[in-house]
Amino acid sequence: MSQILPDLLLSDVTDEALFNQVAISESGVTDRVADAPLIAPHGGALKELYLPAAEVEAWTRRSAELPGVDLGIRQLCDLELLLSGAFSPLEGFLTQRDYTRVVEELRLADGTLWPMPITLDVSEAFAAQLAPGSEVALRDLQGVPLAVLEVQDIYRPDLQHEALKVFGTLDRTHPGVAALLERTRPVYLGGRVRGIQSPAHYDFGELRDTPRGLRAWFKANGWSRIVAFQTRNPMHRAHRELTLRAAQQVGAKLLIQPSVGLTKPGDVDHYTRVRCYHALLAEYPQGDVKLSLLPLAMRMGGPREALWHAIIRKNYGASHFIVGRDHAGPGKGADGQPFYGAYEAQELLEQHQAELGIHIVPFPAMVYAANRDTYLPSNEVTATDDVRDVSGTQLRQFLHDGAEIPAWFSFPNVVKILRERHPVHAPRGFALFFTGLSGAGKSTIAQAVIAQWLEHSSRPVTVLDGDEVRKHLSRGLGFSREDRAANVTRIAYVASEIVRHGGVAICAPIAPYAEDRAEARALVEAHGDFIEIHVSTALEVCESRDRKGLYAQARAGKISHFTGISDPYEVPEHPELRLDGHAAEPVVLARQILALLRDRGLIAG
């Protein structure tokens, strides 16, 4: 006889695979956990990395004189969890010895279990200023000093090897792989960090507990057995049933601790999700559940990430942690196959259960049996039961169309919040991002797309053309590598704001560097769809179209840093569409783009 474990990935608003089933023997973890002794009430030793209050002012002044790094979102999340002790036993960003062993063996150099590389990447130019023993100020996006890094190591990782070992693939449809290979700078700095202050948050302050603060809350409220639940999506009736029964089975209180840092592109924004969690609390027994937010930058790393999540929850004081089928998996790859096997996360945590310091709790999926009008553990379903579910895709369509969402699926107060965030028939924002050589036809094709579209639609479109942006938004920038990056980032930022509000942005820069295009994609995909179109017109055709004689001047050495002549153009590897601007008239090429947009449901047919 076998038991059934759940799919706890819960990707999107709800996951198509939520009710998928996998079997383990009756002697599995579910049976053992309920009777096992409590491993670590309120977690193990914390390594908080903040400076003593008396030293903060002096270090703040000192940081102003140091070379500095303005941290991106992932780095800010990592730094916050380092400083608070959530990443204990780490004392900073990994040195090369620690990094190498984590990548190869899921352990620090001293043998301590740690599965995920926590690294600080910088440019070659910045690294050239430093040496072991240097100090670096770590700042937020507004330049506020948060910490000082004592540099111990400066090393150049093999990013492809890291991707293969950590994620098991080089497929860039995996968001962790894409971030690593496309948006990671080539040099890592390793060393201890000294915290000046935590990153500022102006939302949900009462829910942003530190590990020490949450442990103190547990102690003050008499909680000793705490089962933690990880999610990155809104929760519905199945999730409520699952978490309630899991807590009851192991005799624990419930900690709902959603990730509110970086999650998977396209996920529901954390503001909406937290409002949904708040609404859901009323459906739990009073005093048995605690909601606390985790500022984690997820890597969607499957088994390794599940192990990482468990260690983090131990540091926050949980004694038990729910791990399900394909935990933290990003779905399917370019080949249509899941990145990780159904059992890999459970198997990896089982291998390390003895040294984890937290119990792992698999639990049967909860499915709705319409004939009984109740949720059941999936291993109790019979052949006569009428099992129903609503997939994430279906829910989004219900919200878009204003269709009724079944009462058995979610709670009215949760649905209300989702409907506010996703009004009926609200258009989805997206950006068309044309890239290619000067003279490739980017702007001409973009204008053809707009003209054909507006024949049938009144939806406003914002055009961010390369030349026009240079006159206004990027006035003063030159054509150095750094200035080109700044130009693309400015375009992408404006596009992301347009997309965030449901608008359409059409961008047509040259954007010669893959790293800059990847950053543009990340900015836009935080709010909507990013459609990269490589206009692959041959260099000789582009030169023949050059009415201003720029190519000739570049070949004569009169213009420096000219893409295709004296500067490189890095051809996109996986654009959504690749068009030869010389192969057909712009109106014909525009039809191909509009067809793609219709296929993706971004514009009406």
Side-chain angles (χ1 to χ4, degrees):
M1 188 172 176
S2 66
Q3 291 177 302
I4 305 297
L5 290 182
D7 183 334
L8 291 181
L9 171 58
L10 310 180
S11 63
D12 212 336
V13 179
T14 185
D15 195 83
E16 282 91 340
L18 173 61
F19 304 125
N20 287 358
Q21 303 172 356
V22 295
I24 61 169
S25 69
E26 284 189 350
S27 61
V29 180
T30 303
D31 292 327
R32 294 202 301 274
V33 167
D35 299 324
L38 185 62
I39 292 180
H42 310 312
L46 280 179
K47 289 192 175 181
E48 293 178 319
L49 306 178
Y50 287 105
L51 289 159
E55 299 180 25
V56 167
E57 185 177 348
W59 277 89
T60 300
R61 291 195 301 269
R62 182 174 180 176
S63 70
E65 302 172 358
L66 299 175
V69 174
D70 291 342
L71 303 179
I73 296 175
R74 177 186 64 78
Q75 295 169 331
L76 283 168
C77 290
D78 287 352
L79 179 63
E80 181 171 0
L81 294 179
L82 280 169
L83 295 177
S84 71
F87 282 178
S88 294
L90 301 191
E91 296 184 355
F93 294 99
L94 297 186
T95 62
Q96 187 168 13
R97 288 182 66 240
D98 284 325
Y99 164 82
T100 299
R101 194 163 181 199
V102 166
V103 168
E104 300 295 334
E105 303 176 45
L106 292 82
R107 296 185 181 277
L108 301 174
D110 66 3
T112 302
L113 186 65
W114 187 267
M116 195 62 66
I118 306 299
T119 56
L120 179 62
D121 60 299
V122 299
S123 67
E124 288 280 6
F126 186 79
Q129 308 173 47
L130 308 175
S134 298
E135 292 177 335
V136 174
L138 305 180
R139 305 186 177 110
D140 68 11
L141 297 173
Q142 286 72 47
V144 176
L146 303 176
V148 172
L149 170 70
E150 300 172 356
V151 178
Q152 292 175 249
D153 258 347
I154 304 170
Y155 57 104
R156 289 156 182 80
D158 182 336
L159 296 179
Q160 290 209 342
H161 181 73
E162 180 181 334
L164 281 172
K165 297 296 291 188
V166 174
F167 299 111
T169 181
L170 294 177
D171 183 346
R172 297 182 192 223
T173 60
H174 188 302
V177 173
L180 182 64
L181 299 184
E182 297 176 358
R183 299 190 286 279
T184 300
R185 287 161 290 201
V187 183
Y188 285 175
L189 304 181
R192 182 185 176 196
V193 294
R194 297 174 181 264
I196 295 172
Q197 60 184 307
S198 62
H201 296 288
Y202 304 107
D203 60 324
F204 307 115
E206 73 282 4
L207 299 177
R208 291 183 177 273
D209 302 290
T210 65
R212 185 173 298 280
L214 193 55
R215 290 185 188 198
W217 189 93
F218 291 150
K219 185 175 181 179
N221 286 271
W223 287 25
S224 58
R225 295 178 74 92
I226 302 106
V227 60
F229 180 66
Q230 152 77 27
T231 182
R232 37 171 260 268
N233 301 285
M235 295 170 63
H236 302 286
R237 289 185 184 269
H239 310 86
R240 185 250 188 197
E241 291 294 325
L242 185 150
T243 52
L244 264 181
R245 296 192 185 210
Q248 291 166 359
Q249 178 170 310
V250 299
K253 303 290 190 179
L254 175 64
L255 170 64
I256 298 174
Q257 195 177 39
S259 295
V260 294
L262 281 178
T263 59
K264 185 180 177 182
D267 280 351
V268 176
D269 66 276
H270 83 270
Y271 298 100
T272 302
R273 289 192 288 115
V274 175
R275 292 174 63 209
C276 289
Y277 304 139
H278 259 304
L280 190 68
L281 292 182
E283 308 298 334
Y284 286 92
Q286 187 174 1
D288 285 354
V289 61
K290 170 73 171 172
L291 174 63
S292 184
L293 309 184
L294 181 68
L296 179 71
M298 295 181 65
R299 273 65 164 179
M300 305 305 300
R304 280 189 183 239
E305 181 131 351
L307 189 60
W308 188 39
H309 288 178
I311 294 170
I312 292 168
R313 271 39 182 241
K314 177 194 70 175
N315 287 330
Y316 272 92
S319 57
H320 298 72
F321 181 58
I322 299 171
V323 177
R325 182 177 183 268
D326 195 27
H327 183 104
K332 296 179 180 180
D335 60 0
Q337 298 301 311
F339 282 105
Y340 306 112
Y343 300 94
E344 285 187 55
Q346 291 95 336
E347 291 170 355
L348 182 63
L349 273 82
E350 274 289 274
Q351 293 172 23
H352 300 289
Q353 174 73 87
E355 60 181 317
L356 261 177
I358 187 170
H359 289 291
I360 305 308
V361 186
F363 195 81
M366 302 306 298
V367 299
Y368 180 70
N371 55 305
R372 305 195 209 185
D373 190 25
T374 190
Y375 277 89
L376 299 171
S378 54
N379 58 332
E380 295 179 12
V381 172
T382 68
T384 60
D385 284 319
D386 179 12
V387 175
R388 299 181 184 179
D389 70 0
V390 173
S391 72
T393 300
Q394 288 173 317
L395 180 58
R396 286 193 300 273
Q397 194 64 47
F398 289 160
L399 293 169
H400 181 269
D401 295 342
E404 182 180 354
I405 295 172
W408 56 262
F409 172 75
S410 194
F411 297 96
N413 48 359
V414 173
V415 172
K416 179 182 178 183
I417 293 167
L418 292 174
R419 287 199 187 280
E420 288 176 0
R421 178 63 182 85
H422 301 280
V424 176
H425 301 305
R428 194 157 93 238
F430 66 90
L432 287 181
F433 191 92
F434 292 85
T435 175
L437 297 173
S438 176
K442 303 181 296 298
S443 298
T444 302
I445 298 169
Q447 290 299 328
V449 168
I450 295 167
Q452 289 190 36
W453 185 10
L454 293 182
E455 286 183 5
H456 308 286
S457 172
S458 59
R459 188 174 177 185
V461 177
T462 301
V463 180
L464 299 170
D465 182 74
D467 290 340
E468 291 301 311
V469 167
R470 284 276 181 181
K471 290 180 183 177
H472 305 289
L473 186 64
S474 293
R475 179 181 294 175
L477 290 181
F479 293 89
S480 67
R481 175 69 182 85
E482 293 75 17
D483 282 357
R484 287 183 184 276
N487 180 56
V488 172
T489 298
R490 292 179 187 184
I491 292 171
Y493 173 73
V494 174
S496 73
E497 287 297 294
I498 294 167
V499 169
R500 183 164 70 93
H501 294 286
V504 177
I506 296 185
C507 316
I510 293 173
Y513 295 104
E515 179 182 353
D516 301 336
R517 296 192 298 264
E519 183 177 354
R521 179 182 292 273
L523 283 169
V524 171
E525 285 186 341
H527 306 295
D529 292 77
F530 182 90
I531 309 297
E532 183 178 30
I533 300 169
H534 175 213
V535 184
S536 60
T537 311
L539 176 61
E540 57 271 20
V541 175
C542 295
E543 288 196 67
S544 71
R545 293 174 170 177
D546 181 17
R547 291 174 296 179
K548 298 179 182 178
L550 299 178
Y551 277 99
Q553 293 180 59
R555 288 195 180 279
K558 297 179 181 179
I559 300 177
S560 59
H561 302 296
F562 195 88
T563 301
I565 305 298
S566 52
D567 261 14
Y569 179 81
E570 298 174 359
V571 175
E573 293 186 10
H574 303 288
E576 277 70 18
L577 192 61
R578 200 184 308 273
L579 301 173
D580 182 347
H582 188 56
E585 291 298 316
V587 67
V588 176
L589 299 175
R591 290 187 191 125
Q592 295 183 42
I593 297 169
L594 291 170
L596 173 65
L597 297 178
R598 292 189 191 99
D599 288 344
R600 289 177 171 249
L602 295 172
I603 63 173

